[in-house]
Amino acid sequence: MRKIILSVLGILLIVAGFFGAKAIVASKKSFQPRAQKVVKTVFTEVVENGPVPIVVPANGNLVAKNRVELYSEVQGVFRKGSKLFKTGERYQKGQAIIRIDASEYAASVQSAKSNLFNELTSIMPDLRLDYPEFFSKWQTYLNGFDMTKPTPELPEMISEKEKFFISGRGILTSYYNVKNLEQRLSKYRISAPFNGVLTETLVTEGTLIRSGQKLGEFINTDVYELEVAVSKKFSDLLKVGESVSLSALDDSKTYTGKVARINGRVDQASQTIKAFIEVRDNTLREGMYLEANLDAKQEPDAIEVDRNLLLEGDKIFVVRDTILDIIDVNPVYFSDKTVVIKEVPDGTVIMSKPLLGAYTGMAVKVYEEKKTNTEG
């Protein structure tokens, strides 16, 4: 009997434990977090149409406005001067850049001048007897004739008799022969036509220079020109004398130039027009790459926005009661980073910065700057 009672009690305990565990499991509620709706924040601005300046970007390399390629018109040995004929040497206007040995040629010039002087001296007795009224001015000319200086111009001959007499004695032929020799003698010395610097040298002192040989290149470092290509649709808007902002690639310094010339022909391949911008600055160097911003015109009743805001080429996002929507616009000018658009009503709230994953009907929150009030 005792064993039976213990067995029944054991079975009752097991059944009670089973139902008790089942009740505990049934009483436990599973917690599922409620999904929160994410509302993204957008940056906006209110449209105010007005005139927008159209700035045409262009670029190019600087070139010296005044440059001279040095060529020899005579033959001879390159003589050493006061400065070495090397790249980077500076010369003042009128200073000799190149001297070619002209001792032999100078002797022939002196010989021709001597013959002219002798011919003038030989006609003086006949001139004194036949035309005494012309004698005094020719005597003055002979007195001022200096063999070490350039031949002076002949006295003015106003009488036909005087002209026939002087010409008949061969004076005019000898005179122009001497002047021709003197002109060629001057080519043995090449002088600086302006203040500048040598940028290229192809010969050295002691070299035998031949006629027609290129010797180097000389530029003026005061004034430079930037050649840029501008679209033909802006050709009638560019004007000579307009100021232009220039900058280097690293934007370390800006320069101010002006439109000096505009080519009258359109390049058939690129449909652009060449414009030349003149700029002056001591820090500039030939060959520098500069970017120019040309003020072409002003577009009325327009706004300028980030180019990434434009959708499908002619649409932008607007915010209406915290909901994104799309409106059609009319883009009139594109630059590298921005676009000028029209037909956006004043007061329209548009996105000012692109939003990743934006779509029509998307709920958004407009960003508002926190204002901190400070009490003094």
Side-chain angles (χ1 to χ4, degrees):
M1 181 61 71
R2 185 179 178 184
K3 291 181 179 179
I4 295 172
I5 294 172
L6 290 175
S7 301
V8 172
L9 289 174
I11 293 172
L12 291 175
L13 287 174
I14 292 173
V15 172
F18 173 78
F19 285 103
K22 190 175 181 180
I24 292 173
V25 172
S27 64
K28 187 177 179 180
K29 296 181 179 180
S30 60
F31 177 77
Q32 295 181 353
R34 185 178 180 182
Q36 295 182 352
K37 188 174 183 180
V38 179
V39 179
K40 293 188 177 181
T41 302
V42 295
F43 294 87
T44 62
E45 65 177 278
V46 180
V47 172
E48 292 183 7
N49 286 285
V52 177
I54 301 297
V55 179
V56 181
N59 51 64
N61 295 95
L62 283 180
V63 177
K65 186 174 183 178
N66 298 319
R67 66 190 307 110
V68 175
E69 291 186 341
L70 304 175
Y71 284 88
S72 174
E73 298 183 55
V74 295
Q75 181 172 316
V77 177
F78 185 5
R79 294 177 55 188
K80 185 177 180 180
S82 58
K83 294 184 177 182
L84 290 176
F85 188 72
K86 298 292 184 182
T87 302
E89 284 288 353
R90 292 187 172 273
Y91 293 86
Q92 300 297 316
K93 182 178 180 180
Q95 189 175 2
I97 301 177
I98 295 174
R99 294 178 183 271
I100 301 174
D101 187 10
S103 55
E104 181 179 352
Y105 193 82
S108 64
V109 175
Q110 289 298 99
S111 175
K113 290 175 68 176
S114 178
N115 291 335
L116 174 62
F117 185 80
N118 292 336
E119 291 176 356
L120 287 169
T121 304
S122 66
I123 68 169
M124 293 307 291
D126 294 336
L127 190 63
R128 186 171 188 176
L129 292 175
D130 298 336
Y131 306 103
E133 66 272 23
F134 307 134
F135 177 80
S136 59
K137 68 177 180 181
W138 285 96
Q139 184 63 48
T140 302
Y141 179 78
L142 272 178
N143 293 336
F145 197 99
D146 190 344
M147 296 291 293
T148 60
K149 296 180 180 179
T151 304
E153 292 187 8
L154 292 176
E156 184 180 1
M157 293 174 284
I158 56 176
S159 170
E160 291 293 332
K161 294 186 298 181
E162 183 183 13
K163 290 180 182 178
F164 291 150
F165 179 81
I166 297 298
S167 179
R169 299 300 180 93
I171 301 299
L172 292 179
T173 302
S174 298
Y175 169 77
Y176 287 113
N177 180 50
V178 171
K179 296 301 288 185
N180 181 54
L181 294 175
E182 287 181 338
Q183 181 65 28
R184 186 163 183 80
L185 180 63
S186 66
K187 299 182 184 298
Y188 282 80
R189 180 183 187 271
I190 300 178
S191 302
F194 41 74
N195 298 340
V197 63
L198 282 170
T199 57
E200 183 183 19
T201 56
L202 303 175
V203 294
T204 57
E205 290 82 352
T207 304
L208 176 61
I209 296 175
R210 303 187 183 279
S211 178
Q213 180 179 354
K214 184 178 181 179
L215 309 177
E217 194 171 66
F218 185 72
I219 68 169
N220 183 358
T221 56
D222 295 333
V223 187
Y224 294 92
E225 281 190 340
L226 182 70
E227 180 182 334
V228 296
V230 182
S231 177
K232 67 175 183 178
K233 65 181 179 180
F234 298 114
S235 61
D236 57 334
L237 303 173
L238 291 177
K239 295 181 181 178
V240 174
E242 283 189 350
S243 295
V244 180
S245 176
L246 305 171
S247 62
L249 283 177
D250 55 1
D251 294 328
S252 59
K253 187 174 181 180
T254 58
Y255 310 91
T256 301
K258 65 177 182 179
V259 180
R261 304 189 312 280
I262 301 173
N263 198 349
R265 185 180 66 178
V266 176
D267 186 278
Q268 295 183 358
S270 61
Q271 290 297 294
T272 58
I273 292 178
K274 299 291 185 181
F276 299 87
I277 302 169
E278 183 179 302
V279 58
R280 299 170 181 262
D281 196 283
N282 294 331
T283 61
L284 294 174
R285 295 290 183 272
E286 187 175 60
M288 284 181 62
Y289 183 86
L290 294 182
E291 294 181 342
N293 293 317
L294 302 170
D295 294 330
K297 66 174 182 176
Q298 283 194 338
E299 188 67 43
D301 298 325
I303 60 172
E304 187 174 18
V305 298
D306 191 325
R307 190 166 178 171
N308 293 326
L309 295 175
L310 200 62
L311 306 172
E312 300 177 10
D314 60 353
K315 296 178 176 62
I316 61 171
F317 276 119
V318 298
V319 180
R320 291 175 176 165
D321 298 330
T322 69
I323 301 297
L324 286 184
D325 196 4
I326 290 179
I327 63 171
D328 294 328
V329 296
N330 178 25
V332 294
Y333 176 73
F334 291 87
S335 67
D336 292 339
K337 298 179 180 179
T338 63
V339 57
V340 178
I341 59 178
K342 304 187 71 171
E343 300 180 4
V344 182
D346 285 333
T348 304
V349 180
I350 65 172
M351 284 177 52
S352 60
K353 292 184 179 180
L355 178 64
L356 186 64
Y359 57 87
T360 305
M362 179 180 182
V364 294
K365 180 174 62 175
V366 176
Y367 174 78
E368 295 181 359
E369 294 184 1
K370 297 180 179 179
K371 297 183 179 179
T372 58
N373 296 325
T374 59
E375 296 180 2

